[in-house]
Amino acid sequence: MTQPASPARQDAPIPTAKSAPAGGGWRRPLGLRADVRNLSLLGVLAVLIAVGGITKPDEFLATSNLQLVLTQASIIGVVTVGMTFVITSGGIDLSVGAIVALASVWATTVATQEYGFAGILFTAVIVGLGCGLVNGLLIAYGGMVPFIATLAMLASARGLALQITDGKTQMVTVNSVLDLGIKDAYILGIPPLVLVFAAVTVVGWLLLNRTTFGRRTVAVGGNAEAARLAGIDVRRQRLYLYLLSGLCCGIAAFMLIVLAGSGQNTNGNLYELDAIAAAIIGGTLLSGGRGTIVGSVLGVLVFTTITNIFALNNLESAVQQIAKGAIIVAAVLVQHRTLRGAEH
């Protein structure tokens, strides 16, 4: 009697690329290009620092300004870490900015502030996780396209944030939260928010590069069907990834509350653009299958430094957006050339 075909084994090797030949013949060249890309980003960052130092030496190189740049980079950086995981899996999350806004205003309501520091932090994180859960369920189990599902979340979260605040700014009155933003809270001259960003970056790097979760994320982005045949629960993995993105948004919302001392429905405006752009120029493939936390962090630092230089030199924000758009286009073109060169 013929035995039925056995199901895919749980310990089967996890695929890590869409069409990698046996032996991973083109992985080493891609890894080498990733190192070169990171060095290139460091070079770009060095050039930007030099430009800032030449154009506005007193203002740009001041310790307070450098601390501000790192603090601003920290908030969008935490969001970018979550975005890197989502894009690596072949997805996208357009709702991160709106989730940050919703979490920040929900956590700064009068009722929430009555519970003090813990209440604000808990609410911000839970709202972020809740939104991530909705995104994950719609995409992983509802079969919705990530672009559509997260676009719907963007509109819904922004609308709910506006309804909660009625268009008004909600001031924070909890001193233990506000104290984190003052210089007395700095540790060896480093703002606490920067330390939080560093911790999230380290955890994100370890999760993506040193755990089964990270390998499954890369496998799902490289070839979801092959990952399924290898025994990976693709739907559950995607749900976890959007939960992770929501968690990062909740943490970023609390950091923004500390920095601004308030909650507003306009918080997180265009965070989705900055996070996606930072991940792309850092080397994360839009099509999925490859991601880099280090590159994403460098991308965040590059964009934040550009913003700071433009602000110090009183240049129009429109020019700044044009510059960001040009950088994104250039990064995508480099990605295509890298992949085409690796395949030949």
Side-chain angles (χ1 to χ4, degrees), residues 81-161:
V81 170
M83 182 70 78
T84 300
F85 277 88
V86 171
I87 296 178
T88 300
S89 72
I92 198 72
D93 191 348
L94 301 178
S95 63
V96 290
I99 294 175
V100 169
L102 178 59
S104 69
V105 300
W106 206 321
T108 54
T109 60
V110 174
T112 302
Q113 293 194 51
E114 290 180 355
Y115 294 94
F117 183 99
I120 294 176
L121 175 59
F122 178 79
T123 302
V125 170
I126 287 298
V127 172
L129 283 171
C131 293
L133 176 63
V134 173
N135 279 337
L137 289 175
L138 290 175
I139 294 167
Y141 294 95
M144 291 187 67
V145 177
F147 182 92
I148 300 300
T150 58
L151 184 62
M153 176 59 72
L154 183 157
S156 301
R158 282 288 179 194
L160 184 54

Side-chain angles (χ1 to χ4, degrees), residues 1-181:
M1 184 174 179
T2 303
Q3 295 293 331
S6 59
R9 293 172 49 196
Q10 293 294 330
D11 59 350
I14 297 176
T16 56
K18 291 181 178 178
S19 57
W26 55 270
R27 292 179 196 170
R28 283 188 295 274
L30 280 180
L32 179 61
R33 286 181 173 87
D35 293 336
V36 172
R37 182 183 294 106
N38 288 341
L39 290 175
S40 299
L41 286 174
L42 283 173
V44 171
L45 189 58
V47 170
L48 290 173
I49 292 174
V51 170
I54 293 173
T55 57
K56 292 288 182 178
D58 295 334
E59 295 91 339
F60 181 79
L61 297 178
T63 301
S64 58
N65 184 64
L66 296 179
Q67 290 172 334
L68 176 62
V69 170
L70 289 175
T71 301
Q72 292 175 336
S74 297
I75 299 173
I76 186 62
V78 170
V79 175
T80 302
V81 170
M83 182 70 78
T84 300
F85 277 88
V86 171
I87 296 178
T88 300
S89 72
I92 198 72
D93 191 348
L94 301 178
S95 63
V96 290
I99 294 175
V100 169
L102 178 59
S104 69
V105 300
W106 206 321
T108 54
T109 60
V110 174
T112 302
Q113 293 194 51
E114 290 180 355
Y115 294 94
F117 183 99
I120 294 176
L121 175 59
F122 178 79
T123 302
V125 170
I126 287 298
V127 172
L129 283 171
C131 293
L133 176 63
V134 173
N135 279 337
L137 289 175
L138 290 175
I139 294 167
Y141 294 95
M144 291 187 67
V145 177
F147 182 92
I148 300 300
T150 58
L151 184 62
M153 176 59 72
L154 183 157
S156 301
R158 282 288 179 194
L160 184 54
L162 178 60
Q163 185 176 26
I164 291 174
T165 62
D166 195 24
K168 301 175 183 177
T169 299
Q170 298 178 163
M171 303 303 298
V172 176
T173 58
V174 180
N175 291 329
S176 56
V177 173
L178 298 175
D179 289 345
L180 290 177

